[in-house]
């Protein structure tokens, strides 16, 4: 083999290796992983991104919790129908596509003492609860990142993640029409400034590390 052909072989190997990094076979879902969905271009997902992801290249609007039973993964999530268990393939297919791939990033807790199976068990206790369209804390309902906040606990029982004052305004300080219309229908005030969570803040928490992305 000539030096030139050897160099070509090496470069081809590096190129192919780089292309296989996001091969789905490289990702083994583990209980407690978090799946962050990229915001769709309209509706509530877009409103969430407008209010919580001003300067991020990736704007997340939803997060689900990975659970594994008999070796098969599924997702525990708080969505429009309330807190439910969703088939793995359904969760992937419902995500906003990036190219021809699901716009989803998987992250895993990297914190000593945290027991992911306990977090999943807590999340499952909320199955059947209504979706929290009001985003008010402690009202017996759940929105997606609230389910994560309540379920992910340290050994002493304290939350792994921090609640922050909620913001519903866009980067220009305006209130998106989606939120105005939603809370008018609910007959409630927008909970601006009350403690809460959102997928974008969760994704930036130092307790999480990215382990896979589909795109």
């Amino acid at each position: 083999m000539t030096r030139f052909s050897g160099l070509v072989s090496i470069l081809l190997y590096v190129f192919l290796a780089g292309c296989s990094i996001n091969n789905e076979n490289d990702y083994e879902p583990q209980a407690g992983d978090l799946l962050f969905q990229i915001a769709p271009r309209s509706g509530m997902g877009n409103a969430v991104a407008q209010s919580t992801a001003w300067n991020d290249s990736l704007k997340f609007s939803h997060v689900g919790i990975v659970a594994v039973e008999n070796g098969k993964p599924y997702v525990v999530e708080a969505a429009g129908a309330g807190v439910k268990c969703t088939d793995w393939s359904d969760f992937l297919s419902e995500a906003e596509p990036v190219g021809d791939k699901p716009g989803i990033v998987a992250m895993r807790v990297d914190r000593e003492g945290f027991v992911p199976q306990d977090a999943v068990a807590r999340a499952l206790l909320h199955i059947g609860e209504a979706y929290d369209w009001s985003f008010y804390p402690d009202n017996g309902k759940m929105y997606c990142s609230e389910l994560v906040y309540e379920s992910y606990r340290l050994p002493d029982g304290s939350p792994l993640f921090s609640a922050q004052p909620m913001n519903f305004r866009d980067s220009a300080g305006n209130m998106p029409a989606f939120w105005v219309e939603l809370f008018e229908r609910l007959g409630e005030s927008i909970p601006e400034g009350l403690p809460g969570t959102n997928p974008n803040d969760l994704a930036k928490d130092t307790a999480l590390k990215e382990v896979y992305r589909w795109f």
Side-chain angles (χ1 to χ4, degrees):
M1 178 183 293
T2 65
R3 283 193 296 176
F4 176 76
S5 61
L7 177 60
V8 170
S9 297
I10 292 171
L11 291 175
L12 180 62
Y13 172 81
V14 171
F15 173 77
L16 292 175
C19 289
S20 66
I21 288 175
N22 269 6
N23 186 328
E24 194 163 350
N25 293 328
D26 295 337
Y27 173 58
E28 182 178 351
Q30 293 187 15
D33 284 357
L34 292 174
L35 302 182
F36 291 87
Q37 288 186 352
I38 288 178
R41 288 181 287 271
S42 62
M44 182 174 180
N46 187 49
V48 171
Q50 280 184 298
S51 301
T52 64
W54 299 346
N55 300 313
D56 298 303
S57 57
L58 292 180
K59 304 179 188 301
F60 299 115
S61 63
H62 185 56
V63 58
I65 300 168
V66 175
V68 180
E69 184 174 355
N70 298 323
K72 295 183 177 181
Y74 62 97
V75 181
V76 185
E77 60 173 336
V83 183
K84 60 179 182 174
C85 297
T86 300
D87 289 341
W88 186 258
S89 58
D90 289 343
F91 189 86
L92 297 185
S93 65
E94 291 166 0
E96 181 76 3
V98 177
D100 61 349
K101 301 290 186 180
I104 299 177
V105 175
M107 297 191 182
R108 186 169 295 158
V109 174
D110 184 17
R111 181 64 60 86
E112 185 176 355
F114 174 77
V115 182
Q117 291 82 359
D118 289 350
V120 174
R122 294 189 193 97
L124 290 171
L125 293 175
H126 294 282
I127 294 293
E129 290 184 9
Y131 186 79
D132 188 5
W133 293 99
S134 301
F135 300 96
Y136 276 84
D138 304 321
N139 62 355
K141 303 175 184 180
M142 287 284 163
Y143 56 89
C144 66
S145 56
E146 183 181 22
L147 179 64
V148 175
Y149 173 82
E150 294 293 344
S151 302
Y152 282 57
R153 301 272 168 171
L154 295 172
D156 63 1
S158 61
L160 174 65
F161 302 109
S162 299
Q164 304 291 336
M166 287 190 289
N167 172 71
F168 290 81
R169 299 183 181 276
D170 62 21
S171 58
N174 301 314
M175 188 64 68
F178 179 91
W179 297 125
V180 175
E181 295 168 3
L182 172 63
F183 283 93
E184 282 181 352
R185 290 197 302 270
L186 293 173
E188 300 177 358
S189 59
I190 298 174
E192 182 85 3
L194 291 183
T197 62
N198 66 75
N200 286 292
D201 283 346
L202 282 181
K204 290 181 282 192
D205 195 284
T206 57
L208 292 174
K209 62 177 182 180
E210 181 178 329
V211 292
Y212 185 76
R213 60 174 62 186
W214 272 257
F215 53 93

